[in-house]
Amino acid sequence: MLKQIEGSRAVAEAVGLCRPEVICAYPISPQTHIVEGCAELIRAGTIQHCEFINVESEFAALSVAIGASAAGARTYTATASQGLLFMAEAVYNAAGLGLPIVMTIGNRAIGAPINIWNDHSDSMALRDAGWIQLHAETNQEAADLHIQAFKLAERLSTPVMVCMDGFILTHAYERIAMPDQAQVDAFLPSYQPRQVLDPADPYSIGAMVGPEAFMEVRYLAHDKLLQALSVIPEIQQEFKEIFGRESGGLFHRYRLEDAETVVVTMGSLAGTVKDMVDERRADGVRIGVITLCSYRPFPLDALRRALQGAAKVIVLEKSLALGFGGVLATDVRMALHGVDTLVHTVIAGLGGRPITRKSLARLFGRVERGELKDPHFLDLDLDLVRREIDNQRNQITAGPIAENILRDIGPRATKVG
Amino acid sequence: MDTPIAECALRLIDEEYFLDDYQGRTPRWCTGCGDNAILAAVQRVCRNEQLPPEKTVFVSGIGCSSRFPHYINSYGFHGLHGRALPVAEGIKLRRPDLHVFVVTGDGDCCSIGAAHWIHALRYNMNMTVLMHDNGIYGLTKNQASPTSPLGLKSKTTPQGTQLEPINPVSVSLGIRNVSFVAQAADWIPDQLQDTIEAAFHHKGLSFVRILQRCPEFLPGRFDPWVQEPDRMLLLHHKDGVGISPDLAKIYRNKEEHDPSNRNRAREIASTYDPMPVGVLYRNPQMPCYEDLRKPDRFYTPAIVKRVLEREFDKFTIHPAE
């Protein structure tokens, strides 16, 4: 059924259709509307047989989810940014225990400085924790990925994060084809835990493993994520058979035929990039886009094959490894190692900085002319940066950098373009 | 380590601070928010106590109340959700000479930061903790907090909360080495100011729960007590706070409560109708963490004198040269 609906609400409804049994909630922008939606659906009786608990922190949210999942419940929670970092210890714990929890991340920057807007710093910070990380391009995909996520999590007995861009997706109203309960029930059977507890043979979960076997246990966790590289496309296909649309998978391809330049990106940014690619194609430029859906596991081989014909790759990412450079770009380079392809790292949109068509047009022009230095920071105000560097050198004003920068630019709205 | 020279500068002129000196940025709290009254009371306390803004730190976590440091002209630290108290402890360890205020809320303190709250009371460092309790998450716009009244329908509890609220005053009094617990209300500004002043004067951690109205997300929460002054119980004592004649005309319901009596304090804490305000408990003998630890002081008069002399020596003209 087509609905004009907010992204967060669509996710709440999709989660509801998956018949969750325990939902743990602690509000944090921009995730709040999702758990509010879940609460409302439970009150209305739309979600039945589900315990909704308002916990005291994100750390508690995931910890309660771990307990519930270990006890056999289909368990869901959601968070963002600081909340995800606060629960970091439990994030590793859930993965190590192989608990099929599904968690939405409303991707948001990490402070300091305090910032509630979108980038990918939060989920990137926990990319190596052992969770599958899927990124939604649209709200339709965000809703669909949740339905796939439970199946994926339970088939492999491993937790899954569904990442969606904070505000850009969570707070956007779009037309979405909402699945109906019969379709979801046909796609997603009721939860049958892979790790079962036998009452005749009780034991404690949470073993202490020493040097004699720790590496093997971790290797098996790694191997499980690698298995997901084949399970994710299988589930994408099963989903398509029931719901009739393409959603999820390892990555999406757009106008890759004969493309000399390929933009690799993740999340909602792909929409703007595709518009720009259409524009450049109309001018005869051979350019295409790959939008990664599965960031962990990272599809090294599939990506390598998809990028085979490209002479230039532009990795457009909303994350920055401080003291190093691009995060996604590093993974893409790994996929291309030994191949003679020029890879550009472009860091963009940190803390919600808009990524406009105008900026992308300038960027693509510079790539075409071979003028781009690596790494490139899209729309970075270099004058402002230089003034602050001088300020620090000369100790003109006291205080931290963030406060000085605000003093420098004065009150003004977010600069666009 | 050398003491910064600014720290040693001589005050040639006695400065006097006025209310304006404590005015930070324009508050962006909602109209009618109780936080505005608390800010005004705190600014009056700063003025009365002549606290140098550069010797005063307001530390907060995340929440509506935690925007406080931006709105007062002093040093401030707007940190992570729930972490105001340990940050304040860190500041106090390094700079016991500073006046440290912690501004937190029912979410920040009683929910996500609850572990730190219990242990901060236990450390009993010399600081003033203002816990703005509006019974709701306001910054994220209307979700139940641990102090929300039973049955409250909010966006995360559309069926109503199912648990009794936590009583922050009773919990605080349950910590063995707590040294100061008070309760105040944003709608009785004089008494609020006196209570904050008493908290400031107490040596040790003073915990003040301030009943704070949130007209936006929990309107009417405190209406019975705001509209019927007889439902308020004003605690007074020579070791707590007094009641001015003007206040006594409005609030006739009062009790002389000796704040050294912890058992009576606990009884009072467990009541809410009438709603007690004033100093419930005070134990000036309770040792402070900084006294027990006797940490190295970076700013003892001897060090200050030594550094100053070294600086002055740079400008001394020796007759022989």
Side-chain angles (χ1 to χ4, degrees):
Chain A
M1 185 179 62
L2 283 176
K3 270 186 177 177
Q4 186 72 20
I5 189 172
E6 194 198 33
S8 295
R9 178 72 188 193
V11 167
E13 291 190 9
V15 167
L17 291 169
C18 295
R19 302 189 185 277
E21 291 155 307
V22 174
I23 296 177
C24 309
Y26 193 79
I28 181 168
S29 303
Q31 152 271 33
T32 310
H33 288 185
I34 300 174
V35 289
E36 286 176 355
C38 293
E40 175 54 32
L41 290 167
I42 291 172
R43 185 198 63 84
T46 313
I47 304 179
Q48 288 183 337
H49 313 297
C50 182
E51 279 293 328
F52 179 96
I53 179 161
N54 241 336
V55 286
E56 70 276 14
S57 69
E58 289 89 358
F59 201 172
L62 190 55
S63 299
V64 170
I66 285 170
S69 181
R74 182 172 281 167
T75 307
Y76 171 78
T77 187
T79 191
S81 182
Q82 313 291 137
L84 180 63
L85 262 59
F86 185 40
M87 59 166 73
E89 194 182 6
V91 171
Y92 273 77
N93 195 237
L97 293 170
L99 297 170
I101 297 163
V102 172
M103 172 159 72
T104 311
I105 308 297
N107 282 112
R108 164 185 152 183
I110 298 281
I114 299 170
N115 178 298
I116 62 167
W117 307 106
N118 166 243
D119 67 33
H120 291 162
S121 311
D122 49 3
S123 57
M124 282 293 185
L126 286 160
R127 68 194 168 153
D128 301 325
W131 287 56
I132 290 170
Q133 291 188 328
L134 307 177
H135 278 258
E137 183 180 331
T138 60
N139 278 337
Q140 179 70 63
E141 189 168 51
D144 293 346
L145 281 180
H146 282 83
I147 298 165
Q148 296 187 19
F150 280 104
K151 189 162 193 171
L152 180 61
E154 290 164 15
R155 188 172 290 178
L156 289 166
S157 205
T158 199
V160 179
M161 281 182 208
V162 181
C163 305
M164 60 193 291
D165 286 327
F167 295 107
I168 298 170
L169 291 183
T170 55
H171 286 55
Y173 279 74
E174 282 185 339
R175 196 175 67 160
I176 292 174
M178 283 309 296
D180 63 40
Q181 189 66 62
Q183 284 176 311
V184 177
D185 287 346
F187 175 76
L188 181 69
S190 61
Y191 176 35
Q192 295 298 330
R194 289 270 303 271
Q195 306 182 106
V196 292
L197 302 182
D198 179 359
D201 181 19
Y203 65 91
S204 288
I205 293 177
M208 177 157 175
V209 176
E212 71 285 357
F214 189 82
M215 270 190 74
E216 285 70 22
V217 175
R218 296 308 280 170
Y219 178 83
L220 287 166
H222 171 63
D223 185 62
K224 193 149 64 169
L225 285 201
L226 295 184
Q227 286 173 42
L229 286 172
S230 52
V231 178
I232 290 168
E234 277 167 33
I235 287 181
Q236 178 191 24
Q237 189 55 35
E238 289 164 26
F239 186 88
K240 191 182 173 185
E241 280 160 18
I242 293 180
F243 299 90
R245 61 176 170 270
E246 295 275 1
S247 263
L250 298 175
F251 49 80
H252 309 312
R253 301 147 191 267
Y254 186 73
R255 304 195 76 168
L256 284 188
E257 72 287 356
D258 76 0
E260 282 177 342
T261 303
V262 177
V263 182
V264 178
T265 192
M266 215 156 61
S268 62
L269 175 55
T272 319
V273 177
K274 284 177 185 172
D275 284 353
M276 278 313 299
V277 162
D278 290 345
E279 224 169 76
R280 303 306 296 151
R281 281 265 178 190
D283 291 344
V285 180
R286 285 150 64 186
I287 186 167
V289 190
I290 286 181
T291 311
L292 272 167
C293 179
S294 170
Y295 179 64
R296 282 294 181 268
F298 193 80
L300 284 172
D301 294 338
L303 197 61
R304 185 187 178 90
R305 284 195 299 277
L307 289 172
Q308 230 160 23
K312 287 181 190 172
V313 172
I314 306 169
V315 182
L316 196 52
E317 63 175 302
K318 291 180 174 178
S319 44
L320 169 62
L322 301 178
F324 180 70
V327 186
L328 180 58
T330 307
D331 295 347
V332 173
R333 282 198 172 88
M334 177 74 177
L336 289 173
H337 83 98
V339 181
D340 189 22
T341 307
L342 180 62
V343 182
H344 291 288
T345 310
V346 181
I347 314 288
L350 298 185
R353 173 75 53 96
I355 301 169
T356 61
R357 292 171 57 154
K358 208 166 126 194
S359 303
L360 290 178
R362 271 199 305 265
L363 174 77
F364 292 167
R366 292 176 72 176
V367 172
E368 284 159 24
R369 295 190 299 274
E371 290 172 7
L372 201 70
K373 283 187 187 146
D374 201 76
H376 179 73
F377 291 81
L378 193 70
D379 292 337
L380 182 73
D381 185 342
L382 266 175
D383 289 339
L384 181 59
V385 169
R386 288 198 189 105
R387 280 202 300 278
E388 178 54 21
I389 290 171
D390 284 346
N391 176 38
Q392 287 171 57
R393 191 180 296 132
N394 304 323
Q395 288 197 323
I396 297 166
T397 45
I401 289 171
E403 280 69 7
N404 289 341
I405 291 268
L406 286 181
R407 203 159 22 205
D408 186 330
I409 63 173
R412 73 175 188 201
T414 305
K415 186 181 151 195
V416 179
Chain B
M1 187 190 283
D2 281 349
T3 303
I5 199 66
E7 200 48 53
C8 305
L10 283 178
R11 277 240 155 79
L12 297 176
I13 308 161
D14 278 338
E15 284 186 61
E16 187 181 353
Y17 299 106
F18 300 94
L19 276 179
D20 280 0
D21 294 318
Y22 301 102
Q23 182 63 54
R25 279 193 260 160
T26 308
R28 282 164 58 189
W29 289 313
C30 305
T31 307
C33 171
D35 286 340
N36 294 294
I38 301 170
L39 175 64
V42 168
Q43 285 168 331
R44 288 194 299 271
V45 170
C46 290
R47 189 264 324 268
N48 293 353
E49 298 297 330
Q50 288 292 297
L51 301 185
E54 74 280 9
K55 288 280 197 183
T56 308
V57 192
F58 282 83
V59 185
S60 69
I62 293 290
C64 291
S65 59
S66 291
R67 300 193 56 83
F68 201 100
H70 299 293
Y71 304 149
I72 190 157
N73 184 36
S74 74
Y75 274 100
F77 191 104
H78 186 186
L80 299 175
H81 199 12
R83 315 299 140 207
L85 285 161
V87 169
E89 286 156 12
I91 292 168
K92 206 68 200 176
L93 283 175
R94 171 70 176 156
R95 293 291 304 269
D97 56 312
L98 298 180
H99 305 293
V100 175
F101 290 82
V102 174
V103 184
T104 180
D106 42 311
D108 203 54
C109 177
C110 306
S111 193
I112 196 166
H116 301 310
W117 168 35
I118 303 298
H119 290 279
L121 292 168
R122 198 172 149 250
Y123 292 136
N124 194 35
M125 291 188 184
N126 190 18
M127 58 177 78
T128 308
V129 180
L130 308 173
M131 200 278 273
H132 300 206
D133 189 353
N134 59 2
I136 195 84
Y137 290 119
L139 196 68
T140 47
K141 300 183 175 60
N142 193 11
Q143 299 86 20
S145 92
T147 64
S148 293
L150 182 64
L152 177 78
K153 290 184 178 170
S154 74
K155 285 191 189 163
T156 46
T157 57
Q159 291 164 295
T161 58
Q162 289 150 334
L163 294 174
E164 286 284 354
I166 208 167
N167 181 333
V169 176
S170 295
V171 171
S172 299
L173 286 167
I175 307 302
R176 186 187 167 90
N177 36 355
V178 67
S179 71
F180 186 103
V181 178
Q183 181 156 279
D186 76 50
W187 60 92
I188 316 179
D190 290 358
Q191 206 262 359
L192 169 66
Q193 183 189 330
D194 289 350
T195 307
I196 296 172
E197 198 124 16
F200 173 75
H201 281 291
H202 171 73
K203 185 170 180 294
L205 188 142
S206 32
F207 179 83
V208 187
R209 177 201 190 195
I210 304 170
L211 307 173
Q212 177 229 324
R213 288 170 292 178
C214 175
E216 195 64 30
F217 298 115
L218 202 48
R221 164 76 176 93
F222 296 115
D223 276 1
W225 295 279
V226 176
Q227 287 160 6
E228 294 175 52
D230 283 352
R231 292 176 78 163
M232 299 299 295
L233 174 66
L234 268 64
L235 308 174
H236 63 99
H237 193 268
K238 64 176 176 51
D239 293 333
V241 290
I243 304 174
S244 68
D246 285 351
L247 213 56
K249 278 185 214 160
I250 306 167
Y251 296 98
R252 288 167 298 184
N253 197 1
K254 50 188 184 287
E255 175 179 328
E256 185 171 14
H257 165 64
D258 177 357
S260 68
N261 185 344
R262 195 190 305 212
N263 284 339
R264 179 63 194 141
R266 284 183 175 141
E267 283 170 20
I268 295 170
S270 64
T271 61
Y272 59 92
D273 202 8
M275 182 75 84
V277 282
V279 180
L280 279 92
Y281 182 66
R282 177 172 166 265
N283 179 359
Q285 269 76 51
M286 189 62 73
C288 292
Y289 184 86
E290 49 266 53
D291 294 340
L292 293 172
R293 292 275 303 134
K294 295 191 179 56
D296 292 337
R297 296 296 166 96
F298 289 92
Y299 299 102
T300 60
I303 294 173
V304 171
K305 191 175 167 207
R306 201 182 69 222
V307 175
L308 265 181
E309 279 179 356
R310 202 173 62 206
E311 277 304 303
F312 287 148
D313 280 351
K314 291 182 190 168
F315 305 101
T316 306
I317 299 164
H318 295 284
E321 288 172 6

